[in-house]
Each structure stands twice: as structure tokens, then as C-alpha cells.
Amino acid sequence: MTDAFIYDAARTPRGKGRPDGSLHEVSSVALSARLLNAVKARNGLEGHAVEDVIWGNATQVMEQGGCLARSAVLASDLDERIPGLSINRFCASGMEAVNLAANQVRGGAGAGYIAGGVEMMSRVAMGSDGAAIAVDPSLTFPTCFVPQGISADIIATEYGFTRDQADALAVESQRRAARAWDEGRFAKSIVPVRDQNGLVMLERDEHMRPGTTIEDLAKLKPSFKDMGEVMPGFDKVAMLKYPHLAAINHIHHAGNSSGIVDGAAAVLIGNAAFGQAHGLTPRARIRATAKIGTDPTIMLTGPVPVTEKILRDSGMSISDIDLFEVNEAFASVVLRFMQAFEVSPDIVNVNGGAMALGHPLGATGAILIGTLLDELERRDLTTGLATLCVASGMGAATIIERV
């Protein structure tokens, strides 16, 4: 098959996902279009340069409804002959967009693609699309559905993670994210967001709290304890699936869970001929992609089996990977990944993660791939793996290899 190369990776800074966040006044289409324009300008793309724009977003209603990808193309400076495909694999939407584009290139269906995603969580509330898995009793009852926070606490209980471990990981994520910004580690990929007058609205991730301490986090009440134990009693639902658990240990709160933010990310992918035609040098090859379904109750364990799958399919072992990006949806997700593979924390999320920087659902997967590539280059390493847990019980992964 034809190799699929990464030629560029770009992202916006992440704004707080609240009405007072710096990006709140920017629509999903507008933010996407501005990033597409940046990719076009950074790489000198003219005319019908790419086959398609594949764009992920998780909550596909209101301004994020319809085919957001096509709307973004038409709102951008890209040629109108470039179509646009919107996809939804919840939190892995941005990664799945990249993986789908890479596999289209590998299969010969076009020489180049722009892939990524967006989520404006201050404007389109998470869950406002009324997903059947969460609201349809004919599905929620047989699957023993519980909210993601309860699922994260099930992981902590099942695999023995404590509140102190989760809080320590969160504090370290904040420290690493602040260091990454101070040292300019994100500079290659960041595209500042400007208003219509060209004035900078946001040029730095604004969700970070770099001064956070263990003592600060210890003051926070577990976010999912009441919904688990009191009303509507989701712990009892979970224990229908996990009857060996005497009780659910509720350890997660706002400080050791991913932040609600706005943001977008894009990856430029193409074959060798695409690079030659546009005078571009490939930065990495997408070596393998994978996705998997998992138990929808515990829901968030997907990074472990999908990593096992992608390594098996590509004939690799965990020791072949130099760096890992594991989405910090909740602290227990990353703790479980490191436990399962006996991976050193020194090579996982080395520039912080979503607990510090935030998790713009449809964009995060593409952000992880770009962050991973930048850090492989900075450290002069070769191979990286990015992976996410996914709502309703799924996992996705991508392995990239510098060239």
C-alpha cells in the first residue's frame, strides 16, 4: 500500500469552555475555517489541492450540525471543489478523521487530505444531541449505562487507584503543561485565533492552573459521588455489571478530570507524490491505525485493548514506542494504561494533557497526534503512539513514525 505521510499539524489554543472563555464568540464553522486557512497558507496549497476535508465533532447539533466540514470549507479560502466529510466517534472524532484520511491515501483514494476536528463546548453543550446510549431506556437498561464519571470511578475501584494517585497525576499534568508553554514546545503547531480586525483573541491555552497543588485538589468534593450513591443511584446500575465490587470508590473531581474547552486541530496528510507536487517535506509516516469496541459500562478502558490490537496488527511491541499520548479524560484512564503496559510516566503525556489543557472533544485526537509529532522531533525520537478512550465503550489509536 501507499505510505501516508504527515506534512503539517496545527491547532488553535484551547479556550475555556464557558461564556467568559476567550473563544466563546467564535462559531464552530468560523474557528474551523480559520484553521483551514492557516493550513492552506502554511503549506502553499492552491486550487483543488486536497481530495477532501474530513472533520470530526462529537456534538452534531445546532451550529455543529449538518455537515460542518463542508460548511467550514465554504467559509474558508479553500477551493469550493473540495467537499467535506463530518464524522463522529465521540472523543476520538479528531483521531478517526486523521486515521480515515490516512487509510484513504494508503488505499489510493486521493493524494492528499486535511483531517482534524473542532468542538466549541462553550457554545454547543456536551450531551445536547440526546445520544440514544444515554437517553433511550431500551438501550441504557440492557447495556447498564452510567455517566462517564461513574465509569472513571469504576476503573479506579476495579484496578485499585486512589484519590492521592489521581490527584498527583493531575498536578503533574499541570506542571508539564506549564513547562511546555514556557519552553515553547507548542510553538510549531499553535495558530493564534484573531478577530475580524486581525487582533489576537487567544494565543495560549487558557484552561491551565499551573500553581495547582495536591492540597488544593484535596479540598474538592468528588464530582460523581452523589449521582452514584443518592440520585439516581448509578452505582447500583454499575454493580449489576460488576457485582464483585462492594462499592464504587469515587475519586474523580474537576481537578483530575479533563477540562471543558473550545478548540480545533488539523493534520495535513498525503502520499509522496502530494509532497513533491507542493514542495513539502514529510515529517512522519502514519504506520498503523486501530479502533475497537469495549464494555459500555466501564466504558473508558479502550486505550488498553486498542493498543494491544494496534501493536499486534503492526507486528510491534510496547517497547518499540518512544513516546505516548494517552488522553487524560480522567486520571484513572491514564493510570490504567500505565499499569497495564508497565510504561514509565516519564514517556506518557510529557507535555501535560487534558486535565491541564482541556479536552475539546472533536479536536482532541488530532491535537494528540500533532503534540506527539512535535515532541518526537524535539527529542529526536522515532516512534509514538496516541490513543483515547471513547464514550459508550470504544478505543482508538494511531502509531506515527518519523521519516
Side-chain angles (χ1 to χ4, degrees), residues 6 54 87 92-104 114-117 265-269 286 289 365-367 369 398 400:
I6 296 176
I54 305 179
I87 65 167
S93 297
M95 177 174 286
E96 193 60 41
V98 172
N99 290 353
L100 179 57
N103 290 326
Q104 294 272 36
I114 300 174
V267 180
L268 179 62
I269 299 164
I286 296 182
T289 69
I367 291 174
I369 291 169
T398 307
I400 65 173

Side-chain angles (χ1 to χ4, degrees), residues 100-252:
L100 179 57
N103 290 326
Q104 294 272 36
V105 170
R106 293 167 77 185
Y113 286 76
I114 300 174
V118 68
E119 207 77 34
M120 298 302 292
M121 301 180 76
S122 71
R123 297 172 62 90
V124 183
M126 179 171 53
S128 58
D129 52 346
I133 186 65
V135 301
D136 185 346
S138 69
L139 186 58
T140 60
F141 288 173
T143 58
C144 295
F145 170 84
V146 297
Q148 285 190 21
I150 302 292
S151 298
D153 288 337
I154 298 172
I155 294 174
T157 308
E158 178 76 0
Y159 295 101
F161 304 125
T162 67
R163 167 77 178 257
D164 286 346
Q165 287 177 293
D167 286 356
L169 187 68
V171 169
E172 179 64 7
S173 181
Q174 294 283 356
R175 187 191 72 80
R176 292 181 179 189
R179 180 188 62 189
W181 268 106
D182 291 344
E183 295 181 359
R185 297 188 184 186
F186 299 136
K188 183 180 291 187
S189 294
I190 288 290
V191 175
V193 180
R194 300 178 182 274
D195 65 15
Q196 293 180 344
N197 298 313
L199 301 177
V200 173
M201 301 176 66
L202 186 65
E203 58 186 356
R204 182 181 176 94
D205 295 314
E206 68 174 346
H207 183 269
M208 296 185 298
R209 297 178 178 87
T212 301
T213 65
I214 292 287
E215 292 73 26
D216 294 332
L217 297 186
K219 299 173 185 176
L220 299 180
K221 178 183 177 181
S223 297
F224 310 103
K225 184 178 177 67
D226 287 348
M227 74 168 63
E229 296 179 353
V230 185
M231 287 296 292
F234 281 111
D235 285 6
K236 293 181 179 179
V237 176
M239 286 187 281
L240 292 173
K241 184 73 72 74
Y242 293 89
H244 59 283
L245 300 179
I248 306 297
N249 182 21
H250 294 286
I251 71 167
H252 289 93

